[in-house]
Amino acid sequence: MGTQNDTQHATQNNVYLTQTYTYEARTTILSSTSSAAGIRLALVDNIFHPQGGGQPSDRGWVDGIPASPVREPGSERVYLDLAPESEDDRSAFSEGQAVTAAIDAEQRRLFAALHTAGHLVDALIDPFGVRHVGSNHFPGQARVEYELDGAEVDRERMADSLREGLAKAMAQALPVISGEREGRRTITIEGFATEFCAGTHVTDLSCLADVAIRSIKVKSGRLKVGYEALHAAQA
């Protein structure tokens, strides 16, 4: 295996930021070094989303070997940890080597749907005047959280408002637009606010299915709104 030449000025193309539905890429190894897992790679064209912003990591493979995306402190790159079974496999992953990266397509679609649905729920809650403090877009536990700062919320009215707003926005198939501001990636659901976000998203709200509010809870000065979402079936 080649030694790491971390080529600080070389650019990685994080494909997942603009191409949610790209599940496979033929690319080359940007850097390669040993790690606790076995090998840590950076690819020139990276399709893996690393865990962050409330969204789980993609599951995938490089040349058929399971790969886990990670971020290193202070680095903008996404790295992949691999555990090849043999030295021959290890030697195949050297800087400049051509490889095929692939991710779990069904999982990617689910994560994108949950993340976009979370942004939509948050946008519909904004008129209630509570302060957003966190999001979780993991399957089965997706929620958005708010500090009430002394405000009182009529949960029944909020539930009705969310159901109505979700149905209307999805029926309109509002576009979900990726952009950039102040050097950071942004996401805008047309007609709603623009937010900084480095997650994966659907292209428009017609891609969402079975979006529902699971729960609305108030505890210790915090409002927690749980939700569910799936990706619509693709033709």
Side-chain angles (χ1 to χ4, degrees), residues 178-225:
S178 178
E180 184 176 313
R181 189 175 72 202
E182 301 171 10
R184 297 170 63 190
R185 194 277 197 106
T186 62
I187 286 293
T188 305
I189 299 175
E190 188 174 273
F192 293 100
T194 296
E195 304 289 345
F196 290 116
C197 182
T200 61
H201 289 270
V202 303
T203 52
D204 67 73
L205 298 188
S206 71
C207 297
L208 300 182
D210 298 334
V211 180
I213 301 303
R214 187 180 67 251
S215 61
I216 300 177
K217 299 178 180 179
V218 175
K219 185 177 181 180
S220 302
R222 282 206 171 190
L223 169 70
K224 299 182 180 182
V225 180

Side-chain angles (χ1 to χ4, degrees), residues 71-87:
R71 283 200 186 275
E72 292 184 349
S75 175
E76 293 299 316
R77 288 184 183 172
V78 177
Y79 292 87
L80 303 173
D81 278 344
L82 285 70
E85 294 182 355
S86 69
E87 284 303 317

Side-chain angles (χ1 to χ4, degrees), residues 65-191:
I65 296 175
S68 300
V70 295
R71 283 200 186 275
E72 292 184 349
S75 175
E76 293 299 316
R77 288 184 183 172
V78 177
Y79 292 87
L80 303 173
D81 278 344
L82 285 70
E85 294 182 355
S86 69
E87 284 303 317
D88 286 342
D89 287 339
R90 289 172 183 265
S91 64
F93 295 103
S94 57
E95 191 173 319
Q97 182 75 26
V99 294
T100 298
I103 59 168
D104 184 318
E106 183 176 353
Q107 186 189 67
R108 161 61 66 83
R109 289 191 291 269
L110 174 60
F111 291 171
L114 284 166
H115 205 145
T116 300
H119 277 236
L120 178 57
V121 171
D122 177 50
L124 294 170
I125 290 174
D126 186 65
F128 285 85
V130 290
R131 182 167 56 90
H132 181 229
V133 293
S135 299
N136 181 332
H137 308 297
F138 278 63
Q141 50 185 290
R143 65 184 183 275
V144 283
E145 296 191 21
Y146 303 85
E147 284 285 357
L148 291 176
D149 296 326
E152 292 189 8
V153 171
D154 182 332
R155 288 182 289 172
E156 185 173 341
R157 184 171 73 86
M158 176 177 283
D160 289 342
S161 176
L162 289 174
R163 281 192 290 268
E164 181 180 342
L166 288 169
K168 181 178 178 180
M170 291 171 63
Q172 293 174 326
L174 298 175
V176 181
I177 304 159
S178 178
E180 184 176 313
R181 189 175 72 202
E182 301 171 10
R184 297 170 63 190
R185 194 277 197 106
T186 62
I187 286 293
T188 305
I189 299 175
E190 188 174 273

